[in-house]
Amino acid sequence: VKETTTAVRSAFQRANRGQALPALQLTGLSVSDAGGSEVITASPQTFTVSADVTNLSTIAVDDFLVRATVVSSGSATIAAGRSVAIASLAAGATQTVTWSLAYAGTPEDETPIEIRIEAIEQAMWLASTAQSVRLDVADSIQDADGDGLPLAWELANGLDPNVDDFD
């Protein structure tokens, strides 16, 4: 196994003229719900997170993971399988990877949610690459009646969040 790994590593380095690795690139990161909304508008709400992973090298890259991690919120979770295993990606090829993200927080108290996407080569001789995508809360959630008073403040002070209370 060690000799095979060394031979593949050498072939990869020769094919890429000894250039610095990584060979994988993440692009096209997005997050949206079934209606195409890219913001939190309700709770619970389900989103699809997607990313394109491209093999920039001149040979196939085998056995790597593409992983999604919620970085900044306890209110959102990646449904089963936050790591997607890719057995092989041909030279120059692109593959789209998707995850389901479940949001079940209190939208009016939420801050933007960061989702980190990483491509991780299993043999550890290619550098990993990572990027993030952000899920925001709809402005209408923060001020449902448009009176300029934040929803959380109206609720805390006994005002109706659906009535323009600004005087």
Side-chain angles (χ1 to χ4, degrees):
V1 174
K2 183 178 179 184
E3 291 172 7
T4 302
T5 302
T6 302
V8 170
R9 181 182 311 147
S10 296
F12 184 87
Q13 290 169 339
R14 277 194 309 275
N16 288 288
R17 295 178 181 81
Q19 295 176 0
L21 308 173
L24 302 173
Q25 179 182 39
L26 292 168
T27 59
L29 276 66
S30 67
V31 59
S32 62
D33 68 6
S37 176
E38 298 176 347
V39 294
I40 296 169
T41 57
S43 182
Q45 190 172 0
T46 301
F47 294 88
T48 298
V49 178
S50 67
D52 295 331
V53 59
T54 301
N55 178 355
L56 300 175
S57 76
T58 57
I59 63 173
V61 174
D62 297 330
D63 298 323
F64 65 95
L65 298 175
V66 183
R67 180 172 55 203
T69 306
V70 176
V71 176
S72 61
S73 173
S75 304
T77 56
I78 299 291
R82 71 181 192 113
S83 293
V84 176
I86 298 179
S88 185
L89 188 62
T94 298
Q95 182 170 335
T96 300
V97 182
T98 61
W99 300 265
S100 180
L101 178 123
Y103 174 76
T106 306
E108 55 271 5
D109 295 335
E110 196 63 68
T111 57
I113 298 169
E114 179 185 356
I115 301 120
R116 180 178 169 88
I117 312 294
E118 300 173 276
I120 306 162
E121 197 273 331
Q122 305 256 44
M124 302 307 285
W125 51 272
L126 295 177
S128 297
T129 185
Q131 291 197 19
S132 295
V133 62
R134 193 169 100 169
L135 178 61
D136 290 313
V137 179
D139 291 338
S140 61
I141 295 289
Q142 301 297 324
D143 183 15
D145 55 16
D147 61 7
L149 300 172
L151 181 60
W153 188 88
E154 286 189 272
L155 291 172
N157 289 284
L159 299 176
D160 185 340
N162 297 311
V163 173
D164 183 346
D165 299 304
F166 188 79
D167 291 349

